[in-house]
């Protein structure tokens, strides 16, 4: 598919993050020149290199796992960090954001897939995090919503169920902790293989790479 075909398939109210990991600056510029301004990377070093090389009106999202000791390299410019799943990481993002007088948008990553993964919160863990005294003191992080990845499977019912479970978690958190915060409005779910199912389940932001840039 071309970039134009991908955007034609995504409703206007759903944000597209073009996932450019492993792709060159030239390939990214081709998509930039067609109007795309939001790009996603999953590695800190690649993200900082591309930030340096590319136009400064790009909004960069870090979509992959982030190690605490690397937050300092992206804190001055990153627009959104998708995969936050620990208090320790929030504390570090807050600390680094303060140095630049910024408030950094973050998403809570949930483990919704059947595959085992070290990453992503359970509902219980999210509750503990959001009620932690240390967390409540943070001033320079803003939680915008949730992020999750469905199981890599051909079974659409399973994928649909997993996205629905993330949408339910979003609603629960919204009602319980963020009712007075309209900025809690992001459900980051859906990739090249499952973005249509994700949008049906209420995704507000899809992270699409190979469909736009070709396989990696
Ligand atoms: C690579 C990646 C994507 C995009 O995957 P595609 O299948 O190429 O669309 C989305 N989200 C995350 C977290 C990724 O690492």
């Amino acid at each position: 598919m071309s970039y134009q075909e991908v955007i034609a398939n995504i409703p206007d109210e759903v944000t597209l993050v073009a996932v450019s990991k492993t792709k060159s600056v030239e390939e990214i510029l081709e998509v930039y020149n067609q109007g795309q301004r939001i790009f996603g990377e999953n590695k800190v070093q690649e993200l900082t290199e591309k930030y340096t090389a590319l136009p400064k009106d790009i909004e960069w999202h870090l979509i992959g796992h982030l190690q605490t000791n690397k937050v300092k390299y992206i804190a001055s410019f990153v627009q959104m960090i998708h995969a936050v799943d620990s208090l320790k990481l929030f504390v570090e993002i807050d600390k680094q954001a303060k140095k630049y007088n910024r408030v950094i948008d973050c998403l809570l990553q949930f483990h919704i897939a059947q595959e085992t993964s070290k990453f992503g919160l359970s509902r219980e863990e999210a509750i503990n995090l959001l009620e932690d005294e240390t967390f409540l003191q943070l001033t320079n992080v803003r939680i915008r919503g949730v992020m999750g990845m469905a199981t890599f499977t051909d079974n659409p019912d399973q994928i649909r169920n997993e996205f629905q479970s993330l949408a339910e978690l979003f609603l629960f958190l919204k009602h319980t902790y963020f009712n007075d915060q309209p900025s809690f409005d992001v459900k980051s779910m859906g990739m090249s293989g499952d973005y249509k199912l994700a949008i049906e389940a209420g995704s507000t932001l899809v992270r699409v790479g190979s469909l736009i840039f070709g396989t990696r």
Side-chain angles (χ1 to χ4, degrees), residues 108-153:
L108 292 169
Q109 183 183 11
F110 282 92
H111 182 70
I112 54 168
Q114 225 148 58
E115 292 144 352
T116 52
S117 157
K118 307 192 285 271
F119 306 126
L121 299 158
S122 67
R123 179 186 163 112
E124 257 20 80
E125 288 167 336
I127 290 171
N128 290 336
L129 199 163
L130 293 168
E131 295 183 359
D132 191 289
E133 279 307 317
T134 305
F135 175 77
L136 294 169
Q137 305 294 320
L138 304 181
T139 50
N140 292 56
V141 291
R142 177 168 72 160
I143 299 189
R144 293 286 311 273
V146 301
M147 178 269 203
M149 275 184 279
T151 305
F152 190 69
T153 168

Side-chain angles (χ1 to χ4, degrees), residues 133-203:
E133 279 307 317
T134 305
F135 175 77
L136 294 169
Q137 305 294 320
L138 304 181
T139 50
N140 292 56
V141 291
R142 177 168 72 160
I143 299 189
R144 293 286 311 273
V146 301
M147 178 269 203
M149 275 184 279
T151 305
F152 190 69
T153 168
D154 290 337
N155 180 351
D157 289 331
Q158 183 177 352
I159 297 172
R160 205 175 279 119
N161 282 338
E162 291 172 358
F163 285 146
Q164 274 165 4
S165 75
L166 188 62
E168 279 160 24
L169 278 162
F170 173 88
L171 264 190
F172 163 73
L173 296 176
K174 175 103 190 142
H175 290 147
T176 313
Y177 300 104
F178 299 96
N179 228 354
D180 57 349
Q181 293 177 43
S183 58
F184 188 86
D185 62 356
V186 178
K187 279 172 269 181
S188 168
M189 55 188 197
M191 315 186 359
S192 291
D194 56 20
Y195 75 98
K196 287 197 172 150
L197 293 168
I199 291 169
E200 279 169 29
S203 172

